[in-house]
């Protein structure tokens, strides 16, 4: 579900403070429940302790308030949004309000019948996540047997006439299959394919050492992608989202804090970005207590990192500060335990060596012939892949992990 | 007709999966598509809103010229439709 950030068109970009624009995107994370167990899952590590999901009535109110503020894109995600029985009710309302409605799903649970109901509800588009072109890696990385099912679901999407975006999170275990992944998406008739290099938050951060590809793998993957772009022409548009660590270029995270995206978590917490909950000391309001308008314009959580006023050196005097707004706050925090410093992927950051060390580590492991399926012999710090699941979540929370 | 250059008798329409709508909050027409949107300027909005698969390009130009009490909008309209087709915003019925 990394798509929205990268697929924002230039027309959506707007200047940072002082003017606060209304949100253009409402992202409704309907539930953290999910039948899959992706080792790169972006849900918070402590997801299993957030049980209190918003009711249908609450969501309907959130949809109305968001639309009244001017939001036009509405994404239903999770977890797996199909696990909510009221999904059709919410899509119907969203569509009638005039949102362009996007369903972001693993496809598990999208039966012919459910698809027909969503079509009738007016759903505009489905983004389907795929994990690999091979059954082996798909089933391994999701810790389920879902490969065959996903192919069938892709056909259901197409037969209902929906435009289809296929999203594949790229990491060390599937990066060598990138050509085959592109071919598969083209065979399934996707309009857009998003090859999103893993962002290292939450579960992916736990598993970073096994998932991080080498610089050389990335270069080859991008070359292969370009070859396919030429071959396929405009039949399918391919987005290659390059990874922050290797690129050494901070990104304007979420298109600016509190600028375009408004995310609502399953229990109603309103966030400028779905991982922002990890940042300690920031209070994010809940839609059960406050209206969306006050949340967006007035709350401390949304205003804290808006614009450039919060910056310290090297960002505050940097000529690029409007361009990337200092990069990602969550990345800064995960790597340095400080969330108001420059994103360490930036070469100007005094912590940049941490990122360089991590990337070098991936190269070293590759050189020693290690891979995740057969964890590398003597290295003490590398654990086996941790698959996302309620049991793992609760046990990690017990050990004091939150992000 | 699909791959031909826009010509006067063809009837463009907004492509499947795209939706054109007026947004009071932005004070403009927007074109919505999977996970994205384009804000349209006045003339782009006025052209696209007439692309219904029934009006021909010639009809659209005549209507626009009447609506804006002007003449000579053919080139601008063709240029925009060319761009719109490249971006798959429109197709021809
Ligand atoms: S487990 Fe996988 S499919 Fe489920 S929410 Fe996480 S990333 Fe998405
Ligand atoms: S110093 Fe800060 S503002 Fe400048 S490029 Fe690096 S992260 Fe961006």
């Amino acid at each position: 579900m990394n798509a929205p950030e990268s697929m924002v068109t230039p027309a959506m970009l707007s200047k940072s403070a002082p003017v606060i624009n209304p949100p253009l995107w409402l992202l409704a994370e309907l539930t953290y429940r999910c039948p899959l167990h992706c080792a790169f899952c972006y849900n918070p590590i402590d997801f299993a302790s957030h049980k209190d999901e918003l009711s249908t009535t609450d969501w309907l109110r959130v949809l109305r308030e968001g639309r009244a503020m001017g939001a036009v894109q509405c994404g239903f995600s999770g977890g797996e949004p199909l696990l909510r029985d009221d999904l059709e009710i919410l899509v119907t309302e969203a569509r009638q309000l005039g949102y362009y409605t996007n369903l972001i799903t693993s496809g598990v649970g999208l039966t012919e019948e459910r698809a027909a109901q969503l079509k009738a509800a007016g759903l505009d588009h489905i983004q389907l996540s795929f994990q690999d072109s091979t059954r082996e890696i798909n089933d391994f990385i999701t810790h389920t047997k879902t490969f065959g099912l996903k192919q069938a679901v892709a056909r259901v999407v197409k037969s209902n006439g929906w435009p289809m975006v296929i999203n594949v999170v790229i990491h060390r275990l599937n990066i060598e299959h990138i050509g085959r992944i592109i071919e598969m998406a083209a065979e399934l008739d996707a309009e857009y394919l998003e090859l999103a290099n893993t962002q290292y938050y939450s579960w992916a951060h736990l598993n970073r050492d096994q998932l991080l590809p080498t610089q050389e793998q990335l270069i080859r993957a991008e070359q292969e992608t370009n070859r396919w772009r030429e071959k396929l022409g405009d039949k399918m548009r391919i987005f290659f989202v390059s990874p922050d660590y290797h690129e050494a270029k901070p990104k304007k995270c979420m298109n600016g804090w509190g600028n375009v995206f408004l995310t609502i978590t399953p229990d109603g917490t309103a966030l400028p970005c779905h991982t922002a909950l990890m940042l300690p000391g920031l209070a994010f309001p809940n839609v059960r207590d406050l209206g969306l308008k006050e949340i967006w314009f007035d709350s401390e959580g949304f205003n804290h990192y808006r614009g450039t006023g919060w910056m310290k050196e090297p960002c505050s005097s940097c000529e690029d500060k409007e361009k990337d707004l200092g990069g990602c706050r969550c990345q800064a925090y995960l790597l340095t335990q400080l969330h108001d410093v420059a994103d360490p992927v930036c070469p100007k950051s005094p912590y940049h060596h941490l990122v360089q060390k991590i990337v070098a580590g991936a190269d070293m492991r590759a050189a020693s012939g290690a891979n995740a399926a057969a964890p590398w012999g003597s290295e003490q710090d590398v654990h086996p892949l941790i698959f996302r699941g309620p049991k793992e979540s609760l046990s990690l929370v017990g050990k004091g992990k939150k992000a | 007709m699909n791959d031909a250059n826009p010509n006067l008798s063809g009837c463009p329409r907004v492509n499947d999966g795209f939706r054109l709508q007026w947004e009071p909050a932005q004070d403009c027409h927007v074109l919505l598509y999977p996970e994205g949107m384009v804000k349209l300027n006045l003339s782009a909005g006025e052209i696209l809103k007439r692309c219904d698969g029934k009006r021909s390009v010639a009809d659209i130009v005549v209507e626009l010229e009447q609506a804006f009490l002007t003449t000579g909008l053919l080139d601008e309209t063709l240029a925009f439709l060319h761009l719109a087709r490249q971006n798959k915003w429109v197709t021809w019925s």
Side-chain angles (χ1 to χ4, degrees):
Chain A
M1 206 231 50
N2 296 330
E5 195 177 351
S6 56
M7 290 179 67
V8 173
T9 58
M12 277 178 77
L13 304 178
S14 45
K15 280 255 171 282
S16 54
V19 191
I20 306 176
N21 299 306
L24 293 177
W25 262 97
L26 179 68
L27 280 173
E29 290 190 324
L30 296 181
T31 178
Y32 283 143
R33 290 170 290 141
C34 184
L36 267 53
H37 305 278
C38 301
F40 52 74
C41 183
Y42 47 82
N43 282 168
I45 284 174
D46 65 353
F47 78 89
S49 37
H50 302 253
K51 286 225 165 71
D52 192 13
E53 291 184 8
L54 287 183
S55 67
T56 310
T57 324
D58 286 332
W59 278 119
L60 290 172
R61 179 173 48 82
V62 166
L63 290 172
R64 284 180 207 124
E65 289 180 7
R67 183 67 187 133
M69 285 170 79
V72 267
Q73 288 282 352
C74 176
F76 294 102
S77 72
E80 176 46 68
L82 287 163
L83 288 177
R84 285 280 300 217
D85 297 334
D86 55 0
L87 181 60
E88 286 78 354
I89 300 175
L90 301 180
V91 170
T92 306
E93 178 71 9
R95 183 66 172 77
Q96 273 169 11
L97 287 167
Y99 284 106
Y100 193 90
T101 49
N102 305 275
L103 177 66
I104 295 145
T105 174
S106 70
V108 179
L110 191 63
T111 56
E112 301 254 5
E113 197 190 352
R114 202 88 204 267
Q117 284 162 6
L118 287 166
K119 189 75 196 177
L123 181 68
D124 289 296
H125 147 251
I126 293 187
Q127 184 205 103
L128 192 58
S129 61
F130 264 75
Q131 278 68 22
D132 194 38
S133 58
T134 68
R135 182 180 303 274
E136 190 199 348
I137 299 289
N138 176 80
D139 293 0
F140 175 68
I141 197 82
T142 62
H143 220 53
T144 56
K145 298 206 181 315
T146 48
F147 184 67
L149 181 128
K150 281 173 172 272
Q151 310 264 325
V153 166
R155 283 186 282 273
V156 171
V157 172
K158 290 308 291 191
S159 68
N160 276 283
W162 277 305
M164 179 164 69
V165 175
I166 289 185
N167 175 285
V168 186
V169 174
I170 300 294
H171 43 73
R172 171 114 135 254
L173 304 181
N174 65 5
I175 194 163
E176 302 285 350
H177 303 167
I178 210 153
R180 191 48 209 121
I181 290 172
I182 298 171
E183 198 179 357
M184 175 190 76
E187 280 165 13
L188 292 170
D189 253 337
E191 271 82 8
Y192 307 86
L193 169 64
E194 198 181 52
L195 302 166
N197 274 285
T198 310
Q199 305 284 352
Y200 294 97
Y201 308 109
S202 309
W203 298 83
H205 187 251
L206 277 183
N207 292 312
R208 187 184 63 203
D209 289 340
Q210 292 97 316
L211 297 177
L212 196 72
T214 65
Q215 190 85 46
E216 198 225 323
Q217 283 180 312
L218 268 165
I219 294 171
R220 269 189 283 132
E222 212 167 347
Q223 286 167 345
E224 180 74 7
T225 305
N226 286 333
R227 269 196 291 281
W228 276 96
R229 281 193 179 122
E230 258 172 52
K231 188 165 163 189
L232 294 171
D234 63 359
K235 175 180 150 46
M236 180 173 84
R237 289 187 70 183
I238 308 177
F239 300 86
F240 186 92
V241 185
S242 47
D244 288 8
Y245 282 34
H246 299 73
E247 241 198 351
K249 217 163 92 199
K251 288 183 187 148
K252 190 176 182 183
C253 197
M254 299 308 280
N255 248 304
W257 183 274
N259 190 33
V260 170
F261 290 94
L262 171 55
T263 297
I264 311 294
T265 68
D267 70 1
T269 308
L271 300 173
C273 151
H274 55 274
T275 54
L277 209 50
M278 73 168 79
L279 301 172
L282 275 186
F284 293 108
N286 193 293
V287 298
R288 295 185 220 243
D289 311 320
L290 265 189
L292 278 199
K293 219 168 164 175
E294 290 160 275
I295 290 177
W296 179 262
F297 289 102
D298 306 332
S299 74
E300 142 75 10
F302 276 78
N303 279 316
H304 199 85
Y305 290 115
R306 243 182 201 135
T308 55
W310 58 272
M311 286 180 174
K312 301 199 282 203
E313 289 302 335
C315 296
S316 45
S317 63
C318 176
E319 55 180 17
D320 287 329
K321 67 177 178 187
E322 292 287 346
K323 213 161 70 196
D324 61 39
L325 293 175
C328 173
R329 295 303 86 223
C330 299
Q331 195 146 270
Y333 173 68
L334 277 178
L335 292 168
T336 70
Q337 278 71 61
L338 298 166
H339 43 316
D340 52 2
V341 296
D343 188 332
V345 305
C346 175
K348 290 181 201 159
S349 154
Y351 299 96
H352 185 58
H353 63 276
L354 296 174
V355 174
Q356 286 174 312
K357 198 172 140 214
I358 293 166
V359 173
D363 290 348
M364 258 163 55
R365 271 188 288 281
S368 66
N371 64 58
W376 26 91
S378 60
E379 264 187 86
Q380 296 302 314
D381 57 340
V382 177
H383 53 68
L385 273 188
I386 302 173
F387 294 98
R388 164 227 148 106
K391 223 174 66 213
E392 293 74 10
S393 170
L394 293 172
S395 119
L396 287 161
V397 175
K399 290 180 198 150
K401 290 259 182 195
K402 227 188 125 205
Chain B
M1 207 53 220
N2 223 353
D3 287 324
N5 267 322
N7 67 39
L8 292 179
S9 56
C11 301
R13 68 173 169 83
V14 174
N15 218 337
D16 300 333
F18 289 79
R19 203 161 80 223
L20 177 76
Q21 72 191 29
W22 173 258
E23 283 299 312
Q26 335 262 3
D27 196 27
C28 66
H29 276 100
V30 299
L31 188 67
L32 302 168
Y33 53 90
E35 296 167 23
M37 64 175 264
V38 212
K39 287 187 194 176
L40 301 167
N41 63 22
L42 178 71
S43 48
E46 290 298 325
I47 298 171
L48 266 191
K49 105 183 174 197
R50 292 174 169 80
C51 292
D52 56 2
K54 294 185 197 106
R55 294 169 165 96
S56 69
V57 176
D59 297 339
I60 293 173
V61 173
V62 170
E63 271 193 32
L64 288 171
E65 289 177 349
Q66 280 168 1
F68 293 97
L69 304 172
T70 181
T71 54
L73 292 181
L74 177 62
D75 286 351
E76 194 189 332
T77 307
L78 282 178
F80 173 74
L81 285 174
H82 183 68
L83 173 95
R85 207 197 39 185
Q86 271 178 346
N87 285 302
K88 300 194 180 183
W89 299 342
V90 294
T91 183
W92 308 89
S93 9

